[in-house]
Amino acid sequence: MTNPTDEAVEWLIHAVKDALRDGRASASDLEDWLLAAIMLEEMSLEEERDARETRALGAWMSAASTRH
């Protein structure tokens, strides 16, 4: 399954390419889109980190419950 954030980044890349090609993008637009892409990437990295932490906590709790 594809990460929704990855899909959003792909969509944004294509939108920027189309706008550049068609001459519809200003410097301000490009800056906004780049900032949005960075934010989406940061969100994706946070989601991955949260998932790892959740798995680690689950493993730790499982191990702790089998010891008592």
Side-chain angles (χ1 to χ4, degrees):
M1 187 168 147
T2 304
N3 183 336
T5 306
D6 293 341
E7 291 175 4
V9 169
E10 286 296 320
W11 177 88
L12 186 59
I13 289 169
H14 290 292
V16 170
K17 283 182 181 179
D18 291 343
L20 285 171
R21 199 172 317 138
D22 299 342
R24 294 179 283 126
S26 68
S28 178
D29 293 333
L30 293 176
E31 183 179 332
D32 291 344
W33 291 333
L34 287 172
L35 290 173
I38 290 167
M39 288 175 44
L40 287 169
E41 181 63 23
E42 289 175 352
M43 288 171 49
S44 179
L45 293 173
E46 288 176 14
E47 288 173 2
E48 290 173 12
R49 186 193 71 233
D50 291 347
R52 281 193 309 273
E53 289 175 356
T54 299
R55 287 191 302 272
L57 179 60
W60 178 80
M61 292 182 72
S62 176
S65 68
T66 58
R67 290 187 184 139
H68 293 137

